[in-house]
Amino acid sequence: MISIGANGLASEVSTDVTSVANILLGARYYFPKASLRSSLRPYLAAAAGPYIASVVGGTFGTVGTEAAPGGWVGVGLDVPVNRWFMLGLDGGYNLVADFSEPVGGRKNYSGFQVLLGFSWTFGKGVRE
């Protein structure tokens, strides 16, 4: 699983635009199907990678970029729409090291996260 996420965050200084994005590489463990009639696919997931913060704005239009290592662990549920497409819902916790300078008024962006997703399966797709 490769996951790319982005979170827009409001800055304490009204003339700045702050964003924190992550590029995470991870894995999922799908639980065995409890019933052949059920198409729901529950899973556990974990991922790690850089969290990249940037600030654009200020009086002189300065740009600053900073990175911190981090990871995510969580649980989720995929619901196949057809053989190649799935809807997913997952929730988990981001654990991120402190940035060396505050970004948007905060040095740390660890916390809970809930995501609604859409996925496309390559190849033969999901087998029923």
Side-chain angles (χ1 to χ4, degrees):
M1 164 188 81
I2 297 175
S3 172
I4 300 174
N7 300 310
L9 304 166
S11 173
E12 287 185 357
V13 179
S14 62
T15 57
D16 290 346
V17 175
T18 303
S19 66
V20 177
N22 56 46
I23 302 172
L24 304 177
L25 180 61
R28 287 184 179 178
Y29 168 75
Y30 284 96
F31 293 103
K33 286 187 176 183
S35 164
L36 293 176
R37 295 176 186 250
S38 175
S39 61
L40 302 177
R41 301 184 67 206
Y43 61 85
L44 296 175
Y51 284 69
I52 303 164
S54 63
V55 180
V56 179
T59 307
F60 302 104
T62 59
V63 176
T65 304
E66 198 175 342
W72 179 86
V73 292
V75 297
L77 182 68
D78 282 339
V79 180
V81 175
N82 61 31
R83 189 175 181 128
W84 295 277
F85 298 101
M86 285 190 293
L87 294 175
L89 175 67
D90 63 29
Y93 191 81
N94 288 293
L95 184 59
V96 186
D98 289 348
F99 289 105
S100 59
E101 296 294 324
V103 176
R106 295 170 48 189
K107 286 184 94 169
N108 189 287
Y109 282 88
S110 295
F112 288 98
Q113 173 178 303
V114 175
L115 297 169
L116 178 63
F118 175 77
S119 60
W120 176 29
T121 304
F122 293 95
K124 295 181 181 181
V126 177
R127 295 187 178 162
E128 296 295 327

